[in-house]
Amino acid sequence: MSHAIVLPNDNFDAWLNATKAYTQAFEKVAVIRSPAGNDLNRYHTITAVNSPKTWFDDKPLDHIRRAYPLVVRVDIIEAKTPADLQTILAVRIANKDRYGEKSNVPPHIFERFTLAYPTKHRPARITRRFSTSTDANPDTHEGIDINTEAGADILCAASGKVVKVVTNTDSLNYGAYVQIATTVDGVTYTTTYAGLKDIKVQNNADVKV
């Protein structure tokens, strides 16, 4: 299970009742009673109900980023009462919009930039790791080399847009390669997939993990 909704401890039964339709509409949603004493690092996405005295300093994003570094996505719902929460979740259910992404106004979804493994083929072994040049290590390698069977599918490690496709070697000397731009919280990251045999995407294509 990769998604949990965290509810206030006070008046918990009323808060829980407000989520019933939501947890029935969307699969695999864990319901957590208060962040206190719970390891939220088990979840990819946390829907944090922000009601007074639930999160440290009433700042759920800061609380989660500091205490639970493995959480990738934080979805914040501002709700002072269970009735407020039920109304917000009803809109998400009607729109088939689990995290309220269709109307992220005001902004309430915050993500870390993370990379997935770029192939499902096994075995796939890392043969050379990223390294920067230091006195102790003069070698610089601006990437990670992964060895797998010829013809194995290479997948995007982060969702984004294809911004460059090179089918023959160029000045970077990467052979055939693809670059994908991913924007997270206003910062754009570019990932490069090099040494490819056959490229099946085109420039400006949207790709998803």
Side-chain angles (χ1 to χ4, degrees):
M1 189 174 293
S2 62
H3 176 207
I5 182 168
V6 181
L7 303 177
N9 184 60
D10 293 343
N11 198 19
F12 176 74
D13 287 344
W15 289 102
L16 178 63
N17 188 61
T19 68
K20 281 187 177 179
Y22 180 80
T23 56
Q24 291 171 357
F26 300 104
E27 293 184 347
K28 297 182 179 179
V29 183
V31 178
I32 306 295
R33 180 172 185 166
S34 167
N38 287 297
D39 182 10
L40 303 184
N41 280 317
R42 295 180 295 164
Y43 303 100
H44 176 279
T45 301
I46 294 295
T47 294
V49 177
N50 191 23
S51 183
K53 300 181 181 179
T54 301
W55 304 91
F56 184 76
D57 283 345
D58 293 332
K59 296 179 179 178
L61 181 62
D62 291 350
H63 184 155
I64 291 170
R65 287 291 183 249
R66 181 176 62 253
Y68 309 106
L70 299 185
V71 173
V72 173
R73 170 182 271 202
V74 180
D75 161 34
I76 299 174
I77 295 179
E78 300 288 347
K80 292 183 178 180
T81 67
D84 290 343
L85 177 61
Q86 190 168 12
T87 298
I88 293 168
L89 295 181
V91 173
R92 294 188 177 191
I93 294 167
N95 292 334
K96 297 181 180 179
D97 188 11
R98 186 183 189 111
Y99 304 116
E101 295 173 278
K102 294 180 181 178
S103 179
N104 190 24
V105 179
H108 64 273
I109 299 173
F110 306 90
E111 299 192 55
R112 293 184 188 275
F113 178 67
T114 59
L115 295 173
Y117 212 71
T119 182
K120 293 182 179 179
H121 191 83
R122 296 294 183 272
R125 184 169 57 91
I126 295 176
T127 56
R128 192 177 181 191
R129 298 182 181 276
F130 176 88
S131 62
T132 56
S133 178
T134 64
D135 291 340
N137 175 30
D139 182 42
T140 297
H141 186 55
E142 297 179 339
I144 298 173
D145 291 350
I146 299 174
N147 179 270
T148 189
E149 186 177 286
D153 287 338
I154 303 303
L155 311 174
C156 62
S159 300
K161 183 179 288 292
V162 177
V163 293
K164 191 171 187 178
V165 175
V166 174
T167 55
N168 295 301
T169 191
D170 63 5
S171 59
L172 293 179
N173 200 30
Y174 287 161
Y177 68 91
V178 171
Q179 289 186 326
I180 297 171
T182 303
T183 301
V184 177
D185 288 350
V187 179
T188 298
Y189 304 85
T190 301
T191 48
T192 301
Y193 306 79
L196 304 178
K197 181 179 179 181
D198 183 26
I199 297 176
K200 298 179 181 179
V201 294
Q202 297 179 339
N203 267 324
N204 297 316
D206 292 320
V207 292
K208 285 194 172 185
V209 173

